[in-house]
Amino acid sequence: MNKIKTLFLLAAVAVSFSATAQFRQDRSDYEYMFKAEVGYMPFVMNLGDAGDYGYYISNLQHAAGTSVINGVNIKQDFFVGLGLGYNYVAVPKEVVDGNLNGWHCPMAFIDFDYRPLDVEWAPMVGAKAGASYLMADSPYGNTLTPYVELSAGLNWFFRYEYRNMERNYLSLFAELAFSYTQQATFVPVRIGVRF
């Protein structure tokens, strides 16, 4: 009889350890999320063939813009999604002088980022690939070109204390990137939120 009681006691202890180990694992490893970003993209230099009328963007135009990305956060470390963005491309001095004759530049892209550490302030790396449509009053008119970008930054899980129990994915981030589009390279600086 003692052996049966001991066996039941061991079984109960094993079940309790198992239940503790399985805490909150009934939740999914992924969650649909949005990212919203705003940023500034200083012009660096032109690349490629200038063509008969020069480069598409050639007068040191910088860009300011915003984007929204709908995607999936996977195990809190990876994010992949589809994004739409808008940049306003202009020479900064002209904007300061009140001349708002810049060019509109909508974009569509695939966004990816990865946060390799499981900490409150996590470094992150990312990439974007898509297309950029420059609506320009230039000899070339409107131009559609590829958009590619590599980025690095810092991600802050602002409700980190709840994360282990609730798989909290909400975060703020800042990133510095290098991008190429419209025959020009830029260094985007952005801040954003993942919600």
Side-chain angles (χ1 to χ4, degrees), residues 2 17 19 23 25 28 38 81 90 98 100 117 144 148 156 164 170 179:
N2 249 353
F17 279 136
F23 178 69
Q25 289 187 9
S28 173
V38 295
L100 295 178
L117 298 178
L144 178 67
V148 293
W156 175 44
N164 291 333
L170 304 175
S179 68

Side-chain angles (χ1 to χ4, degrees), residues 34-38 66-69 173 190-195:
F34 286 94
K35 280 171 57 174
E37 306 172 328
V38 295
T66 184
S67 61
V68 177
I69 302 137
F173 60 90
R190 289 194 195 91
I191 58 171
V193 61
R194 182 181 284 101
F195 58 95

Side-chain angles (χ1 to χ4, degrees), residues 41-50 54-63 87 89 103 105 107 132 134 143 145-149 178-188:
M41 297 171 49
F43 174 89
V44 177
M45 66 181 181
N46 291 112
L47 292 176
D49 181 15
Y55 292 103
Y56 300 158
I57 295 176
S58 58
N59 295 322
L60 303 179
Q61 289 101 330
H62 295 205
N87 286 319
V89 181
W103 300 337
C105 188
M107 303 183 313
S132 168
L134 184 68
T143 55
T145 67
Y147 181 89
V148 293
E149 177 183 304
F178 183 79
S179 68
Y180 173 78
T181 188
Q182 301 293 340
Q183 299 182 322
T185 57
F186 297 91
V187 180

Side-chain angles (χ1 to χ4, degrees), residues 31-120:
E31 183 174 340
Y32 291 100
M33 302 203 76
F34 286 94
K35 280 171 57 174
E37 306 172 328
V38 295
Y40 184 69
M41 297 171 49
F43 174 89
V44 177
M45 66 181 181
N46 291 112
L47 292 176
D49 181 15
D52 295 335
Y53 302 106
Y55 292 103
Y56 300 158
I57 295 176
S58 58
N59 295 322
L60 303 179
Q61 289 101 330
H62 295 205
T66 184
S67 61
V68 177
I69 302 137
N70 180 21
V72 179
N73 226 31
I74 305 167
K75 294 193 177 196
Q76 197 155 1
D77 297 329
F78 296 94
F79 177 87
V80 63
L82 297 174
L84 294 174
Y86 168 81
N87 286 319
Y88 182 74
V89 181
V91 177
K93 184 182 181 313
E94 292 179 2
V95 173
V96 170
D97 292 342
N99 180 4
L100 295 178
N101 292 329
W103 300 337
H104 305 283
C105 188
M107 303 183 313
F109 54 87
I110 297 171
D111 181 71
F112 169 82
D113 70 49
Y114 171 62
R115 291 163 307 284
L117 298 178
D118 186 22
V119 292
E120 182 177 4

